[in-house]
Amino acid sequence: MTIDATTITTPIGDLSLLARDDVIVAAGFATPQEMAERFTDDELVLKSDLGRLSRAVEAYFDGDLRALDDLPVSQPGGDFTQTAWKVMREVPPGETITYTELAARAGNSKAVRAAGSACARNLIAPIIPCHRIVRTGGTTAGKLGGYYYGLSAKEWLLAHERGT
């Protein structure tokens, strides 16, 4: 099988977007080759554009904060993790919830570590917006929690969504 990939220039760095059959399978602030490392049996095909997927990402960074909401995504994960990713997509742009709230909304209020793990295992950032999940009291940089692409990227995404 093939995976189509493109790189989109954003205000916080190049974002790689990988799709199979017009469904996003990976996205992040790394090279397409780095993003494709988990797809060892697939051929990576670099393209200048992925059509509506690219346009939606560009629209998001241009200020249409709901442009990513309906993009089709697929990544492997267990039931709780899949539910947690679905819940992340339900958090409105500019808002945050805590890892504890994520666990409860995903169906297991005691699974706070699993909620954090779902954020860490998310391979489709920022389309699955794990940047909207913060520590309890996480309104300042030191309490935002982690972000694979660095706290400065998480801070920028949250400020972008809040219009600040």
Side-chain angles (χ1 to χ4, degrees), residues 50-103:
L50 295 185
R52 71 182 183 95
L53 303 176
S54 294
R55 286 190 300 279
V57 171
E58 291 164 350
Y60 168 82
F61 282 99
D62 285 342
D64 179 358
L65 302 178
R66 292 291 190 170
L68 306 177
D69 288 358
D70 296 321
L71 291 179
V73 297
S74 177
Q75 62 182 324
D79 291 342
F80 179 84
T81 302
Q82 292 292 336
T83 302
W85 289 331
K86 181 179 180 281
V87 169
M88 288 178 211
R89 293 191 86 184
E90 294 168 354
V91 177
E95 295 184 21
T96 59
I97 64 170
T98 65
Y99 295 101
T100 302
E101 290 172 286
L102 175 60

Side-chain angles (χ1 to χ4, degrees), residues 12 95 110:
I12 54 173
E95 295 184 21
K110 295 181 181 179

Side-chain angles (χ1 to χ4, degrees), residues 72-152:
V73 297
S74 177
Q75 62 182 324
D79 291 342
F80 179 84
T81 302
Q82 292 292 336
T83 302
W85 289 331
K86 181 179 180 281
V87 169
M88 288 178 211
R89 293 191 86 184
E90 294 168 354
V91 177
E95 295 184 21
T96 59
I97 64 170
T98 65
Y99 295 101
T100 302
E101 290 172 286
L102 175 60
R105 291 184 190 187
N108 186 346
S109 60
K110 295 181 181 179
V112 177
R113 287 181 189 251
S117 179
C119 290
R121 294 182 58 225
N122 176 27
L123 299 173
I124 308 177
I127 292 104
I128 296 178
C130 55
H131 63 275
R132 296 179 190 155
I133 314 304
V134 298
R135 290 181 182 162
T136 300
T139 57
T140 61
K143 294 186 178 182
L144 286 177
Y147 192 63
Y148 185 83
Y149 300 106
L151 285 180
S152 61

